[in-house]
């Protein structure tokens, strides 16, 4: 937290130094999917040596999830191709507004623009040979999208899971879920609320994300049940995903 000298902000534990939430998923066929382009995307891509980005899934249009979009340009150059981006219609509209210069044909191309195509998502679709299932979530009074890929569910920025979304999460085994802090918040799960959702989903492993500086990594993780941990920058996990054979 800028300008804060609390114990977590001054901690020597690298797991207490958190950039904004985003995940990078590599499918068995090599397809590389980025979920959200956080303001820290460039630094994250350098630090974790991301080799490519074949598609981006957007959860919603808030600044902490989209403001790194311009840095997709480097992957256009590396891959010599456009990058498809997926999200709900509201989020795609927010990207068109926030990044108006990208979609304005009058923008001089000299400086280079990200070459992206936006696709509205209305239900499950395929990336590579795997199925991606959008999972509607309440983020305060607006809906955002979590995503399920095989046995993995990525559920950031949520304060409630709508009745209709539980069935989409049936059988998930690895869950990443919003847990901002202990104190109640209008648009994010608390640790207790996230734990209740994890108990109902019953995965074998779960990680909390979108964590604020109220939660020291080591002490908070030690207080959680077996199989549930705070996530941290650079954490890497494996999960099962079935391949769909296209006809
Ligand atoms: Zn702090
Ligand atoms: Zn948000
Ligand atoms: Zn957020």
């Amino acid at each position: 937290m800028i300008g804060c000298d609390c114990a977590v902000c001054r901690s020597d534990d690298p797991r207490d130094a958190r950039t904004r939430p985003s995940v990078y998923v590599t499918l068995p066929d090599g397809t590389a999917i980025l979920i959200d382009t956080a303001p820290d995307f460039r630094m994250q891509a350098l630090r974790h040596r991301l080799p490519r980005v074949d598609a981006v899934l957007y959860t919603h249009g808030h600044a902490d999830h989209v403001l790194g979009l311009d840095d997709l340009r480097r992957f256009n150059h590396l891959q010599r191709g456009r990058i498809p981006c997926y999200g709900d219609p509201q989020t795609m509209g927010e990207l068109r507004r926030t990044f108006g210069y990208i979609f304005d044909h009058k923008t001089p191309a000299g400086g280079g623009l990200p070459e992206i195509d936006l696709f509205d998502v209305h239900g499950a679709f395929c990336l590579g040979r795997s199925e991606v299932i959008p999972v509607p979530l309440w983020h305060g009074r607006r809906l955002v999208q979590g995503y399920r890929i095989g046995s993995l569910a990525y559920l950031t920025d949520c304060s409630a899971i709508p009745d209709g979304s539980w069935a989409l999460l049936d059988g998930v085994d690895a869950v990443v879920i919003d847990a901002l802090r202990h104190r109640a918040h209008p648009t994010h799960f608390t640790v207790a609320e996230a734990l209740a959702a994890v108990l109902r989903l019953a995965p074998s492993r779960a990680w909390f994300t979108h964590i604020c500086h109220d939660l020291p990594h080591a002490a908070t993780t030690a207080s959680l049940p077996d199989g549930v941990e705070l996530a941290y920058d650079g954490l890497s996990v494996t999960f099962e995903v079935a391949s769909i054979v296209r006809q």
Side-chain angles (χ1 to χ4, degrees), residues 29-125:
D29 66 4
T31 302
I33 303 170
L34 182 68
I35 306 187
D36 290 333
T37 49
D40 309 305
F41 169 53
R42 181 172 183 274
M43 194 176 83
Q44 293 165 337
L46 289 169
R47 185 195 286 168
H48 305 298
R49 307 195 67 80
L50 303 190
R52 59 184 299 114
V53 173
D54 295 302
V56 184
L57 305 179
Y58 280 101
T59 59
H60 64 309
H62 283 167
D64 54 330
H65 297 261
V66 305
L67 287 186
L69 184 154
D70 197 82
D71 287 310
L72 289 172
R73 279 199 281 157
R74 174 61 183 151
F75 292 97
N76 293 135
H77 292 173
L78 283 174
Q79 297 159 204
R80 297 193 171 82
R82 302 178 67 80
I83 297 175
C85 300
Y86 302 85
D88 62 29
Q90 179 182 352
T91 301
M92 297 295 96
E94 288 163 346
L95 290 182
R96 283 191 188 86
R97 270 203 311 283
T98 305
F99 296 94
Y101 66 95
I102 295 174
F103 305 99
D104 180 352
H105 297 296
K106 295 196 285 289
T107 303
L113 292 172
E115 294 166 20
I116 57 172
D117 297 307
L118 304 186
F119 295 99
D120 288 350
V121 161
H122 302 275
F125 59 103

